Amino acid sequence: MPSDATPDPYADPLRFGQRVQVLRERRGMTQAQLADLVGISPHTLRKIENGQQKAPGLSMVMRIAEALRVRDLADLTGLPETHVDLFVGPGHPRLAEVKAAIDTFTLASDVEPPPVAHLEARLHAAWKARHESKNHREAIGQLLPDLIRDAQALVRHADTAADRRAAQALLAQTYSLSQFFIAYQPDAALLWRVAERGMVAAQDSGDPHTIGVAAWLLAQAHRDSGARHFDAADAINLEAVRFLEPLLPDADDDLLAIAGALQFELGYTAARRRDTGVAWGHWDKANNMAARLPADYYHPITSFSQAIMGAHAVTVAVELHQGGESVRQAARADEHVIKSRPRRARHRIEEARGFQLDGQPDTALATLDKAFEAAPETIRYNGYARAIILEEVESTQSQRRQRASELAVKVGLLAA
């Protein structure tokens, strides 16, 4: 390695400040950007990175880990005993079986595929189970292996171009469901295979709604990979928006909803960049699309609806690190009930992030309790929730520390 090469925090025993600097630079962030995200001055961050100031306390370490999206806390601290996966949940017991179904390609043509209507009904039931089950990964993890194999068989046996397009649409939808199962589990390569295969199958289907859903999920995969992938996320989102735009005047509810969901995703990524005006501008466009939908409508995959826009506003405010605004938006969002259990739990986690930013850790923990009640498997796999809980487990206030410890046991971060 050249003498002037950037050191590798995963290979060399670096001090804490050096690790912060290396991980920050790998995320493509300036000192000013990271300092702003964690609430300290650039001068203070510079002293931490240069070793002129001792490593900060756990609460600041957790904020730095969240801002840099450090997946393993030990990568930031350099201490093996702090090995904690923050943004990757534990591997689900059914992950290996789902992975095997995705990775296996059967070339023989003697396997009889199911009727199209039968596979459609099973997929509909799987999405329903995903939204209604508290442990939604378990629910869909049972169904996915057979769904994947049957959808692939349906494509192989398609006799006409029309049949093949219909089969590819069902295969794309199966991969979309798979991505919800795989997200935040310890197999990033599998997530990418599913996201990309879903996009290819959607394009082969030629169905605008299917293409919109696949683009929505592929853009999320890019965005969640870090700041260096934000441009790729935006490119996919914008291409999908342009593709759907001519169809919107006569669009049905599902097509209008996926277009609205794509608009919000552009705002989400802008908020991650801390681009306030662009973020809220896209939220406004998505909100206008939601207003065109029936009041009781929910998109069957994304949950996009009039009711979800309040939750989306909380997310934008949180990503912009506007603590007070996120709390205000949370109060408005609670006027609506989100039908999907995992989406409701995700909203509670975003609310908890807002309360934590606003200096209300007790309310944040209470809100995470609500998230656990809605969907335990959502909070168990969510890095933001895990980071808040771990931070408060070290609180100097005994009651808060006890409450955080009890929640950590329920979530699986601490042994009972």
Side-chain angles (χ1 to χ4, degrees):
M1 175 182 286
S3 60
D4 61 347
T6 301
D8 185 349
Y10 303 97
D12 301 325
L14 304 173
R15 66 174 187 265
F16 176 79
Q18 287 177 302
R19 289 173 178 271
V20 173
Q21 179 182 352
V22 171
L23 293 167
R24 171 181 60 77
E25 290 175 349
R26 287 187 176 182
R27 284 291 181 195
M29 298 173 68
T30 65
Q31 285 184 330
Q33 288 171 328
L34 178 58
D36 183 42
L37 284 170
V38 301
I40 59 178
S41 70
H43 175 70
T44 299
L45 179 60
R46 193 174 305 115
K47 290 175 66 176
I48 291 173
E49 291 188 350
N50 291 340
Q52 298 173 328
Q53 183 167 310
K54 66 179 182 179
L58 182 61
S59 63
M60 178 55 66
V61 170
M62 296 302 290
R63 286 203 293 275
I64 293 172
E66 177 181 338
L68 294 175
R69 291 192 66 77
V70 174
R71 293 193 178 278
D72 189 338
L73 196 58
D75 293 336
L76 181 61
T77 65
L79 303 174
E81 61 269 24
T82 63
H83 176 75
V84 178
D85 286 333
L86 290 177
F87 288 89
V88 176
H92 193 278
R94 295 189 181 276
L95 179 60
E97 188 180 357
V98 173
K99 175 182 170 66
I102 291 168
D103 288 346
T104 301
F105 282 95
T106 302
L107 299 179
S109 59
D110 56 349
V111 178
E112 188 69 23
V116 170
H118 185 247
L119 187 58
E120 286 177 339
R122 287 163 58 197
L123 276 169
H124 177 77
W127 282 112
K128 190 170 185 289
R130 192 239 165 207
H131 290 300
E132 293 182 354
S133 303
K134 295 180 72 170
N135 292 308
H136 49 93
R137 279 187 172 84
E138 174 63 21
I140 64 176
Q142 296 181 54
L143 304 173
L144 275 171
D146 286 339
L147 285 170
I148 293 165
R149 285 189 282 266
D150 285 349
Q152 290 175 344
L154 199 63
V155 171
R156 287 197 307 272
H157 284 263
D159 292 326
T160 68
D163 288 346
R164 183 174 178 81
R165 287 194 297 270
Q168 290 283 22
L170 292 173
L171 179 59
Q173 188 180 154
T174 305
Y175 283 138
S176 295
L177 185 65
S178 301
Q179 192 168 336
F180 277 97
F181 174 84
I182 298 164
Y184 306 114
Q185 295 202 54
D187 197 334
L190 182 64
L191 179 73
W192 277 108
R193 284 201 295 283
V194 166
E196 290 171 348
R197 287 182 193 173
M199 188 73 245
V200 171
Q203 288 177 304
D204 286 346
S205 79
D207 177 65
H209 176 260
T210 302
I211 292 170
V213 170
W216 181 76
L217 285 165
L218 184 56
Q220 287 186 21
H222 277 285
R223 186 192 62 233
D224 289 343
S225 296
R228 289 180 297 176
H229 299 268
F230 287 175
D231 287 347
D234 277 347
I236 293 165
N237 254 322
L238 286 168
E239 182 68 20
V241 167
R242 284 192 290 264
F243 172 71
L244 296 178
E245 195 168 23
L247 308 174
L248 296 184
D250 301 315
D252 62 14
D253 291 341
D254 286 351
L255 191 60
L256 185 62
I258 193 59
L262 287 162
Q263 279 290 348
F264 170 69
E265 288 301 314
L266 287 166
Y268 193 163
T269 305
R272 282 272 179 94
R273 285 194 177 98
R274 308 297 293 278
D275 196 336
T276 303
V278 173
W280 286 114
H282 283 296
W283 183 90
D284 284 336
K285 290 179 180 178
N287 193 44
N288 290 337
M289 290 186 178
R292 293 171 55 185
L293 296 168
D296 60 348
Y297 170 88
Y298 278 80
H299 187 259
I301 297 174
T302 69
S303 291
F304 189 83
S305 57
Q306 291 185 25
I308 209 71
M309 291 312 300
H312 283 339
V314 174
T315 296
V316 170
V318 167
E319 292 294 346
L320 290 170
H321 280 235
Q322 298 173 340
E325 179 63 18
S326 62
V327 170
R328 286 190 291 275
Q329 293 291 350
R332 297 191 188 102
D334 278 352
E335 297 173 2
H336 301 280
V337 176
I338 299 173
K339 294 180 180 179
S340 169
R341 278 185 174 272
R343 189 60 187 83
R344 187 158 70 244
R346 165 71 186 280
H347 170 52
R348 293 300 185 194
I349 293 168
E350 296 294 275
E351 286 185 322
R353 293 177 66 198
F355 287 123
Q356 192 80 350
L357 282 170
D358 200 44
Q360 302 183 50
D362 291 311
T363 308
L365 288 173
T367 306
L368 289 178
D369 263 324
K370 294 179 181 178
F372 185 86
E373 177 59 29
E377 284 192 344
T378 294
I379 188 172
R380 191 166 288 136
Y381 289 81
N382 187 281
Y384 295 116
R386 293 155 68 88
I388 292 171
I389 294 168
L390 287 170
E391 181 176 335
E392 298 309 329
V393 162
E394 299 293 328
S395 171
T396 57
Q397 296 190 19
S398 60
Q399 288 186 332
R400 185 185 304 154
R401 185 170 64 249
Q402 177 64 26
R403 186 171 194 175
S405 297
E406 291 172 355
L407 185 54
V409 169
K410 288 196 294 185
V411 171
L413 289 173
L414 295 178

